[in-house]
Amino acid sequence: MSPPEPAVTVFEAHRPRLTRLAYRMLGSMSEAEDVVQDAWLRWRSVDMASVQNPGAFLSRTVTRLCLDQMKSARARRETYVGAWLPEPLIAVEPEEPMEDELTLTLMMALERLSPLERAAFLLHDVFGVGLDEVAGTLDREPAAVRQLAVRARRHVQDARSRYPVAQEEGARIAQAFFNATRSGDLNMLQGLLAEGVVIRSDGGGKVLAFINPIFGLQKAIRLYRGLFRKQILQDAQMVRPMWIDGLPGYVSRERGGVLQTTAFEIEDGRIVAIYITRNPDKLERVTAALSAAPGEAGAH
């Protein structure tokens, strides 16, 4: 039997927010959508007359499902090959992926939190849920939830961008980085990178990627010098400039036709972090989005 129409209408009105919450909790859009679907199956059997605040009820349901999911997700991370990055969310304009004001940089910082700290921070600081409601969701006292949120803020404070990069500057630096690495112009590359730059590459064991993060300017330059000498970068083609979870970057096809996203954290005009996602399992939505969008081809 089909659920009553009001139940469908209410749930669909909350679905985008629930999906964003689940994605920020799990770092995987496919897992987030599964959790939201599970929440729908529970919602359709609920007596709506008994629910005073559907939004709070659904957020609580999704959060608890995510906390259960994170137990197995963290176990999988322990055996993950190489660096793990969240599934990239792409958008042509920077405003689109920043509805909840989270960037990829902050998503990486959230990985350092316990599941309860992450939930408290997201619900209270990001999605604006009151402490009492968060306490009910997490089955904790408000004072304990306040401490969870405080500890979470302390861990992620350095990841909050105080000076978001302007769209034009981000696009310029991303294009310049692509040009420098493709042409082997190491002087240009050195001028783009900060002294403490960090490079993370996620291949998931499916495609070639750096197993360990690369720390520091000189190691980064040596890395790209070696890749250029091996003629790995010369065939790269930029498919399209993109904003990736709030950071400037691009989608490209690399040697052998491997699709990848490259996102940049930028401070004071220099790149301080590079996030490269090559795991094909995490790029299915990127591929679908590019196929559906007009004018895929970008600069070469």
Side-chain angles (χ1 to χ4, degrees), residues 86-101:
E87 180 181 339
L89 298 185
I90 63 171
V92 176
E93 300 291 335
E95 291 81 10
E96 293 178 40
M98 295 186 68
E99 294 174 357
D100 47 29
E101 299 183 347

Side-chain angles (χ1 to χ4, degrees), residues 33-280:
E33 290 174 345
D34 287 344
V35 162
V36 172
Q37 183 61 23
D38 196 355
W40 159 246
L41 294 177
R42 299 184 182 209
W43 171 251
R44 62 186 296 180
S45 63
V46 168
D47 177 10
M48 287 187 59
S50 66
V51 180
Q52 294 183 346
N53 187 333
F57 178 92
L58 291 169
S59 292
R60 181 165 61 249
T61 301
V62 165
T63 300
R64 289 177 175 175
L65 288 170
C66 285
L67 289 172
D68 290 340
Q69 181 80 3
M70 289 174 75
K71 297 174 184 177
S72 58
R74 291 196 169 226
R76 290 195 302 273
R77 302 268 176 86
E78 293 177 0
T79 60
Y80 195 82
V81 178
W84 180 92
L85 295 176
E87 180 181 339
L89 298 185
I90 63 171
V92 176
E93 300 291 335
E95 291 81 10
E96 293 178 40
M98 295 186 68
E99 294 174 357
D100 47 29
E101 299 183 347
L102 285 188
T103 64
L104 178 55
T105 305
L106 192 50
M107 285 283 287
M108 294 299 295
L110 293 179
E111 288 296 305
R112 301 197 295 265
L113 306 181
S114 72
L116 287 177
E117 288 172 342
R118 185 164 182 156
F121 176 79
L122 287 172
L123 288 170
H124 184 256
D125 286 42
V126 177
F127 288 91
V129 178
L131 276 177
D132 288 344
E133 187 177 323
V134 177
T137 297
L138 302 183
D139 196 22
R140 297 290 191 278
E141 293 295 325
V145 169
R146 186 177 293 107
Q147 287 303 310
L148 287 171
V150 167
R151 287 201 301 269
R153 285 186 215 110
R154 190 179 303 126
H155 282 298
V156 305
Q157 62 184 352
D158 292 338
R160 283 185 175 275
S161 178
R162 291 175 296 172
Y163 307 103
V165 63
Q167 181 175 358
E168 296 77 10
E169 182 186 15
R172 177 187 64 78
I173 291 175
Q175 183 69 58
F177 177 89
F178 176 81
N179 293 341
T181 54
R182 189 171 186 265
S183 66
D185 189 337
L186 298 180
N187 288 329
M188 179 189 293
L189 183 62
Q190 183 160 338
L192 293 169
L193 301 180
E195 191 66 35
V197 66
V198 181
I199 306 173
R200 289 182 168 85
S201 178
D202 180 345
K206 306 292 181 67
V207 296
L208 186 65
F210 319 136
I211 295 296
N212 299 309
I214 309 298
F215 294 97
L217 175 60
Q218 295 310 312
K219 288 184 179 180
I221 295 297
R222 285 199 297 270
L223 169 71
Y224 281 104
R225 180 188 293 118
L227 292 174
F228 191 80
R229 285 177 177 173
K230 295 176 182 177
Q231 297 187 327
I232 291 176
L233 303 175
Q234 287 88 326
D235 295 333
Q237 296 181 332
M238 184 184 289
V239 177
R240 192 164 186 176
M242 284 287 181
W243 285 75
I244 301 165
D245 254 331
L247 298 183
Y250 54 80
V251 181
S252 60
R253 287 204 178 274
E254 304 295 314
R255 186 179 185 181
V258 175
L259 192 73
Q260 75 174 41
T261 61
T262 305
F264 304 97
E265 182 184 353
I266 299 169
E267 291 181 3
D268 298 325
R270 296 290 183 96
I271 297 170
V272 297
I274 303 171
Y275 304 100
I276 301 170
T277 301
R278 294 168 58 84
N279 184 343

